Amino acid sequence: MNIQVLGAHNCESQNSKLISLLIDDVLVIDAGGLTSSLSFSAQQKLKAILLTHQHYDHIRDVPTIAMNFAFWGSTINIYSTQPVHDALLTYLLNGKLYPNFLEWPRQKPTIKFTTMEPGKPQQIEGYSILAVLVNHPNLTVGYQVTSPDGKVVFYTSDTGPGLTDCWQKVSPQLLIIEVTLPNEYEEYAKESGHLTPRLLKQELTNFQALKGYLPQVVTVHMSPTLEKEIEAEIASVAKALNNSVTLSYEGMQLHL
Ligand SMILES: [Zn+2]
Ligand SMILES: [Zn+2]
């Protein structure tokens, strides 16, 4: 399995893109910096997009990828929960802001949407995909992706602390987990459903106690303007746990 980090952040600028992960050139999880990161020919290879929740930084490029596929006369498969389906139709693809690509063009709609049920694995393009509830507003799921050759990655999406139930359901070799803010913002992180390096350390300690091992850990969704502090604090987490914990960046390639 080859994972390319298209967008590693929660805020966009010339040098930072919104969260989006590409797996083996065909599967995408979250569509923040999706179209802005891929050539048209790379976009045409995509088979499926998995969305974790309805926050704008995770769905921003759904209308733009749909418009491209509409021009090509192709269909793109989108998988997510019912609340994300409803939010897309109500706010973005409502026929006013942009076309309802789930029903247009009428003969062959551009988006084929499939609802994911948390806890029920689905086969998608040869991968086994498990949606797992995490601790973030509006019903948010992380995705465990198991490749045909048995490689396993779990991406938490946005989440606050309290992942014990989640850890019981997953067994990744690679954990891609959010760390949005440095330690000094812990109260705000807890209120808004995010992690700091200190909170990450607690969650990883719980993981190790429950599962008897720690996976390789890569963080995403960092606030770009606070990234230097996050990076220093993550380094001390890695040292304390004696485990690989690194920040991701746009263009990062991960191999399993
Ligand atoms: Zn969010
Ligand atoms: Zn987010």
Side-chain angles (χ1 to χ4, degrees):
M1 195 190 294
N2 181 41
I3 300 156
Q4 189 182 340
V5 179
L6 302 179
H9 293 94
N10 69 338
C11 294
E12 187 180 69
S13 75
Q14 189 176 23
N15 302 317
S16 71
K17 291 184 190 291
L18 300 177
I19 181 78
S20 189
L21 306 169
L22 176 65
I23 299 177
D24 294 337
D25 296 330
V26 293
L27 216 61
V28 167
I29 313 185
D30 280 340
L34 174 58
T35 45
S36 61
S37 304
L38 293 178
S39 67
F40 287 126
S41 62
Q43 291 176 32
Q44 284 175 313
K45 289 181 193 158
L46 300 178
K47 304 278 190 215
I49 298 172
L50 309 170
L51 301 173
T52 61
H53 67 302
Q54 68 197 50
H55 281 158
Y56 188 67
D57 52 324
H58 299 250
I59 62 168
R60 203 268 311 265
D61 284 356
V62 169
T64 51
I65 193 77
M67 183 57 88
N68 293 346
F69 271 68
F71 271 116
W72 301 324
S74 322
T75 300
I76 182 76
N77 294 297
I78 297 185
Y79 296 82
S80 193
T81 58
Q82 191 64 38
V84 173
H85 169 274
D86 297 348
L88 285 174
L89 277 191
T90 304
Y91 300 113
L92 285 183
L93 308 176
N94 59 8
K96 295 185 177 123
L97 204 68
Y98 233 36
N100 176 354
F101 289 109
L102 285 80
E103 293 175 3
W104 182 88
R106 197 173 297 168
Q107 312 84 328
K108 189 188 176 193
T110 301
I111 294 177
K112 181 175 184 294
F113 191 99
T114 305
T115 306
M116 298 289 286
E117 298 282 342
K120 285 191 187 163
Q122 282 207 31
Q123 290 295 317
I124 298 174
E125 304 296 333
Y127 298 81
S128 177
I129 312 287
L130 178 66
V132 183
L133 286 171
V134 293
N135 185 17
H136 192 69
N138 303 315
L139 197 134
T140 300
V141 295
Y143 288 109
Q144 177 168 268
V145 178
T146 305
S147 65
D149 60 347
K151 302 293 187 337
V152 185
V153 59
F154 180 58
Y155 161 56
T156 60
S157 183
D158 293 359
T159 185
L163 292 170
T164 304
D165 285 352
C166 172
W167 293 155
Q168 275 159 347
K169 298 181 174 74
V170 299
S171 296
Q173 294 149 358
L174 170 64
L175 173 66
I176 302 178
I177 186 165
E178 78 121 282
V179 174
T180 302
L181 294 158
N183 290 336
E184 65 176 304
Y185 294 88
E186 183 169 315
E187 282 314 304
Y188 175 70
K190 284 179 174 169
E191 279 167 26
S192 55
H194 290 297
L195 294 175
T196 64
R198 189 188 297 125
L199 295 172
L200 171 70
K201 187 182 168 197
Q202 288 168 8
E203 297 304 320
L204 292 179
T205 303
N206 291 345
F207 185 106
Q208 190 163 29
L210 268 172
K211 314 287 288 191
Y213 80 102
L214 276 178
Q216 179 189 353
V217 179
V218 172
T219 70
V220 290
H221 203 266
M222 290 71 68
S223 298
T225 52
L226 300 167
E227 194 157 357
K228 281 278 163 280
E229 291 160 78
I230 296 171
E231 189 172 20
E233 292 166 3
I234 287 290
S236 65
V237 172
K239 200 172 174 194
L241 296 176
N242 192 25
N243 194 67
S244 173
V245 186
T246 50
L247 278 70
S248 67
Y249 52 87
E250 282 75 17
M252 185 185 205
Q253 302 264 1
L254 296 154
H255 302 280
L256 275 182

